[in-house]
Amino acid sequence: MLPPRLAPHPTDLRGLPAASRREARAALAVTALATAWFALAAAWEMFGPVLAGHYASSASVGIIAENMLRWKIPGPVWEYTASRPPPGMYYCHHPWGIFWTTAAFMKVFGRHDVICRLPAILLSAATPPLLYALGRSVYRPAAGAAAAASFVVLPITLSFANFNALEVPVMAWTLLGLFGYVRLLQTSRRRYLAVSALGLALGMHADWPAFVLTGGLLAFGAIRAYLLPRRVFGPLPERRYAAWWVLTASITALTAALYLALFQHAGKLGDLLTSYGLRSSGNAEPLGKVLESRRYWLELSFTPIAIAAGKLAAIVCAARLVLLRREHDALPLLYLATAAVQYVVFRQGADIHIFWPHYFAAYFALAAAALVDTGAALLERAAAARQAARVATLSGRPALDAPPGGPALDAPSGGPALAALALWLVPLAAILRDGLPALRYARETGGRFNERGHLIDSDGAKTAFLRWLAPRLPGTPTDAPVAMHEGMKATWAQVWALGGRVVTPNRPPPKEAPPRGAYLVDTRFMLDRDQASLAQRFDVTAVGPFWALGAGAGARTLSASGASGIEAFSFREREPGPLAWYLVSGTEPEREIVPDPFLTWELRAHFGQPAEPPAAPPETLEQKRIAHNMALGAGDGARAAALFAEIRAALAPIEARFDDGTELLGTTFHEGASSLLTIFVRAGGPAASDVVLAVRSRVVERAPLSTTMADPVVREVGPPTAISPQRWRTGFLYADPVPIRKRPGTEVFWASMTARERGRAPKLVDRGGASEVEVLRLR
């Protein structure tokens, strides 16, 4: 007979650990709340356009699904083609399950942005109940509720809940498989054998880490069943267990063989091995040094509280496995090993993908269940000891001689378990304090967060431009390709936004005629001389900083008036209403593209084309800025002075002057779905050939009540101006719109005139040799 400390949990008629009705009801309430919250977080912006960043890979899954349906091919091809793609174009770095799933959704619901997210949203919504079911089966209801609640507060799970990539389906399906495995051992029922096999199989079709988890489970199962003495873990249903082991091992082998055969048929097996050789590069660095370099990403993704709790839980789970001899205590450790293999072995991938440690979230949830069960057991033991002491006092007998059938051994009241759960919810609330701002920060940056200091653009305006442009292009998606200048910084999301067009990115400016479809440019990231060449040789449709060049009938289709030269449009933006904020976008304004005679005049005047002043008076601050320049160019000093006074009165003053004559006059700041800082500049004349107006930011203090360190990275914030400083005119006013994607904490934004390469950067006058000036401070 096992000693009391090694005795298994009492079970009910369903084979589940026994629990009181009060504990079960409270645990279900916590789980329902966690599930509802996580489903709402995952569904936020579900109908909105897919934008830039890591989230753009969800658009690649949509492209692949569309290609599968259009060309009736089984393999993933993530670019549109004019003819049926051969197997040599198949993407063979990962299993194809998520692509087949998305294709099935697209077949049923059609081509929509939501299809790029819907599978992930549904699986994310199912994950907290799966964690509850698994934690309840292994431990008790309170532990299951702790697992569900722990998962839904982590910044990384909130940030990537609608990310239709690899981690979300792997976690959901493998948790289903583990649940079936546990219930099979508890009940010997055949249906749980099917549940386990199905969950693990679908997980392996989602990505390779599921193979690591399943292999670890099979290895542990073989050791437990066939190598260790039965007294270590106790009896098991031998026939059912052997059937589970053989079936799971067969599915694992067949799934691996299927993909090896498919990849070999496509001629991509070597490519797969090369890619994972690259992903694992950097292993020569000591692990401690590597983790220190990723410290901020790890704290931002999990918070120091969760990291510390996860370390403690690993020790607790290992101790439970050794001391309690309960085989299911191995499950959190197996998930920890899976996450560690993904994160530590493939270091290059973890260096560039902040979501790489996502699998630790599933481990943390299962570990939380073990911690709460351990805490509940300790509280129950303490309560039982106190009750035994009271019984002994009343009966006059020593506490050690208390009758075994007394109150200490009655059915559990649930009080200690609920107390342990309540105590665990306290640190979870502190984690959620950092999880909420991380969710918005992730959506604003496309899941890139600080991007190690590089410039981040959501591509919200660019995507609106592409969607407006797509129906105006000539030809069909397959016979009228779209070429993009490298400054467009092409992503899968841009390709998806064009509605199925064949896109050729990173193309040099055309010398004779653009392609039959269009040639697209983002002038902010194009050399001034190349802009001038295009404006001189082609008709241009400009929408904000984006230019579209058509050819022949395409040019006439794109032009609003048929006139030669630049025809400009602008974005008219407004804040989304409550329903649009939740369902479409809470991090981008609603945009409408409208003709803009003021911008048309400005672009034509700067590129030497005939420019007619608009007949209507200026209304917005931007129109008044251009009207000021019109008056100055026409020699109307009084009109220019009056407009200058109006503009200056609307600005928060800066009054910083550089030694090349450029002045920073002031700023406006609009706080909304997408906050915008606009810097107004009075030019001292054309700038040197490599000088740009730059805006950078630093976090100088971490957020109140936050446990996460302040971001140490100096981040590039402001994109270059649409009209290059090399084309600025003396006395003209220019506006530099800078989208603000605030980091947690107090963030300070600084502006400077910066030399791109080796040229001399202008210095501020009367600032003690300083080169930058503070333009915004946000807490």
Side-chain angles (χ1 to χ4, degrees):
M1 180 176 179
L2 293 174
R5 64 185 177 87
L6 298 182
H9 274 307
T11 59
D12 61 18
L13 295 178
R14 297 168 295 170
L16 294 170
S20 70
R21 182 175 298 179
R22 185 173 71 156
E23 178 187 347
R25 287 178 175 176
L28 283 173
V30 171
T31 303
L33 183 62
T35 302
W37 153 245
F38 201 59
L40 288 171
W44 183 32
E45 302 183 319
M46 64 186 295
F47 293 104
V50 183
L51 301 180
H54 293 312
Y55 292 169
S57 65
S58 294
S60 77
V61 180
I63 293 169
I64 286 169
E66 190 171 10
N67 278 329
M68 285 180 169
L69 297 176
R70 176 186 292 178
W71 302 113
K72 295 179 174 55
I73 55 175
V77 175
W78 60 16
E79 60 185 87
Y80 292 115
T81 57
S83 59
R84 192 175 194 271
M89 294 185 68
Y90 291 172
Y91 175 64
C92 296
H93 290 183
H94 297 278
W96 296 349
I98 63 168
F99 310 126
W100 292 334
T101 300
T102 307
F105 273 78
M106 189 176 292
K107 180 69 173 179
V108 174
F109 298 108
R111 187 189 195 275
H112 305 286
D113 290 319
V114 70
I115 297 301
C116 297
R117 303 183 178 99
L118 190 56
I121 292 171
L122 296 176
L123 288 172
S124 286
T127 300
L130 285 170
L131 283 166
Y132 168 78
L134 184 54
R136 197 266 179 268
S137 300
V138 173
Y139 304 108
R140 59 193 311 149
S150 299
F151 189 81
V152 304
V153 300
L154 290 174
I156 194 168
T157 57
L158 291 169
S159 299
F160 295 98
N162 70 349
F163 189 37
N164 190 20
L166 307 171
E167 290 77 10
V168 168
V170 167
M171 288 189 289
W173 292 127
T174 54
L175 288 171
L176 177 65
L178 293 180
F179 168 73
Y181 166 77
V182 170
R183 295 296 287 141
L184 175 69
L185 296 188
Q186 291 173 337
T187 66
S188 297
R189 293 179 179 173
R190 187 176 300 170
R191 64 171 175 263
Y192 291 118
L193 175 65
V195 169
S196 179
L198 176 66
L200 294 175
L202 291 175
M204 287 184 282
H205 277 287
D207 200 19
W208 307 121
F211 284 86
V212 178
L213 179 65
T214 305
L217 188 62
L218 287 169
F220 174 79
I223 294 171
R224 180 256 190 273
Y226 306 116
L227 296 182
L228 293 178
R230 292 298 169 87
R231 66 177 180 273
V232 175
F233 288 115
L236 55 74
E238 294 187 14
R239 183 176 178 183
R240 284 279 186 264
Y241 192 81
W244 171 85
W245 202 98
V246 171
L247 178 61
T248 304
S250 300
I251 290 173
T252 303
L254 289 173
T255 305
L258 169 67
Y259 285 110
L260 289 175
L262 289 172
F263 295 173
Q264 178 63 30
H265 176 69
K268 292 294 190 72
L269 192 55
D271 184 48
L272 171 69
L273 299 177
T274 300
S275 73
Y276 280 93
L278 175 65
R279 291 292 191 207
S280 61
S281 62
N283 284 335
E285 289 285 342
L287 181 59
K289 184 177 179 180
V290 172
L291 294 179
E292 182 61 29
S293 69
R294 302 175 191 162
R295 179 187 169 191
Y296 177 68
W297 274 11
L298 287 170
E299 288 196 8
L300 184 66
S301 298
F302 292 95
T303 77
I305 296 174
I307 293 171
K311 292 177 180 178
L312 172 64
I315 299 172
V316 171
C317 289
R320 288 177 61 103
L321 184 63
V322 173
L323 298 177
L324 302 183
R325 301 177 187 174
R326 298 181 66 236
E327 60 196 286
H328 296 153
D329 281 315
L331 298 183
L333 298 175
L334 289 173
Y335 231 112
L336 174 62
T338 300
V341 168
Q342 164 84 353
Y343 193 64
V344 175
V345 174
F346 300 105
R347 293 190 184 181
Q348 187 268 352
D351 284 335
I352 60 177
H353 299 106
I354 192 171
F355 57 83
W356 213 251
H358 201 167
Y359 293 112
F360 284 106
Y363 157 70
F364 177 71
L366 296 177
L371 287 177
V372 167
D373 184 62
T374 302
L378 293 176
L379 291 175
E380 286 174 349
R381 182 177 293 273
R386 289 194 301 270
Q387 192 169 356
R390 287 196 300 270
V391 170
T393 301
L394 292 174
S395 63
R397 301 163 68 181
L400 293 177
D401 296 330
L409 298 180
D410 285 347
S413 67
L418 293 180
L421 175 60
L423 288 173
W424 178 246
L425 293 179
V426 174
L428 293 190
I431 294 172
L432 183 60
R433 185 261 167 265
D434 284 325
L436 286 173
L439 170 59
R440 180 173 180 85
Y441 186 23
R443 294 296 175 89
E444 289 181 318
T445 62
R448 289 170 291 185
F449 295 94
N450 66 3
E451 193 70 349
R452 300 196 183 276
H454 299 299
L455 178 67
I456 294 174
D457 193 346
S458 71
D459 276 3
K462 190 180 295 182
T463 300
F465 158 67
L466 295 173
R467 298 201 165 197
W468 173 85
L469 180 68
R472 292 168 170 80
L473 292 172
T476 65
T478 55
D479 69 5
V482 174
M484 291 185 178
H485 180 258
E486 62 180 354
M488 285 291 288
K489 302 183 185 297
T491 66
W492 290 305
Q494 293 180 33
V495 176
W496 171 262
L498 283 167
R501 294 262 168 181
V502 176
V503 175
T504 53
N506 303 324
R507 305 300 297 173
K511 295 182 178 179
E512 297 179 357
R516 184 167 180 265
Y519 183 77
L520 307 183
V521 168
D522 184 344
T523 57
R524 298 172 299 176
F525 303 99
M526 189 179 202
L527 294 175
D528 176 69
R529 64 173 180 269
D530 291 335
Q531 295 180 41
S533 175
L534 294 179
Q536 181 181 8
R537 293 182 293 121
F538 302 108
D539 286 346
V540 173
T541 298
V543 179
F546 312 114
W547 288 8
L549 282 64
R556 291 191 293 275
T557 301
L558 292 172
S559 175
S561 64
S564 299
I566 299 174
E567 193 73 26
F569 297 75
S570 287
F571 296 101
R572 181 181 293 165
E573 298 180 348
R574 61 181 178 272
E575 290 298 310
L579 196 60
W581 181 92
Y582 178 74
L583 292 177
V584 180
S585 181
T587 55
E588 293 287 334
E590 293 181 351
R591 292 182 173 93
E592 179 185 4
I593 295 176
V594 296
D596 190 341
F598 286 89
L599 182 58
T600 298
W601 179 91
E602 180 170 59
L603 292 175
R604 290 188 178 192
H606 278 79
F607 286 98
Q609 298 177 358
E612 288 290 330
E619 296 179 358
T620 66
L621 197 61
E622 175 69 2
Q623 291 175 349
K624 291 178 181 179
R625 177 189 69 79
I626 298 175
H628 165 273
N629 296 344
M630 291 179 194
L632 200 63
D636 189 348
R639 173 68 172 156
L643 287 166
F644 181 80
E646 288 186 47
I647 294 169
R648 195 161 195 171
L651 305 180
I654 298 177
E655 298 183 355
R657 185 172 178 272
F658 293 91
D659 58 12
D660 68 345
T662 302
E663 297 178 71
L664 302 185
L665 298 176
T667 64
T668 62
F669 180 64
H670 170 76
E671 190 170 10
S674 178
S675 296
L676 184 69
L677 170 71
T678 305
I679 303 173
F680 283 76
V681 182
R682 180 154 64 178
S689 62
D690 61 348
V691 170
V692 296
L693 178 61
V695 181
R696 299 183 178 90
S697 74
R698 306 179 186 92
V699 177
V700 297
E701 185 180 0
R702 72 181 180 186
L705 302 180
S706 172
T707 60
T708 300
M709 66 183 291
D711 189 346
V713 171
V714 176
R715 194 178 74 182
E716 196 76 30
V717 176
T721 53
I723 296 178
S724 169
Q726 287 76 58
R727 197 164 288 274
W728 286 357
R729 297 186 181 182
T730 304
F732 274 30
L733 301 183
Y734 297 92
D736 182 19
V738 181
I740 300 298
R741 300 173 179 91
K742 183 184 175 300
R743 292 180 277 181
T746 300
E747 189 170 14
V748 181
F749 299 81
W750 304 78
S752 64
M753 299 297 291
T754 304
R756 283 177 174 171
E757 297 178 358
R758 299 180 181 179
R760 176 187 176 277
K763 298 295 183 182
L764 288 163
V765 178
D766 300 328
R767 299 282 178 132
S771 60
E772 56 185 10
V773 59
E774 182 178 327
V775 292
L776 182 65
R777 181 179 290 256
L778 294 175
R779 291 178 173 82

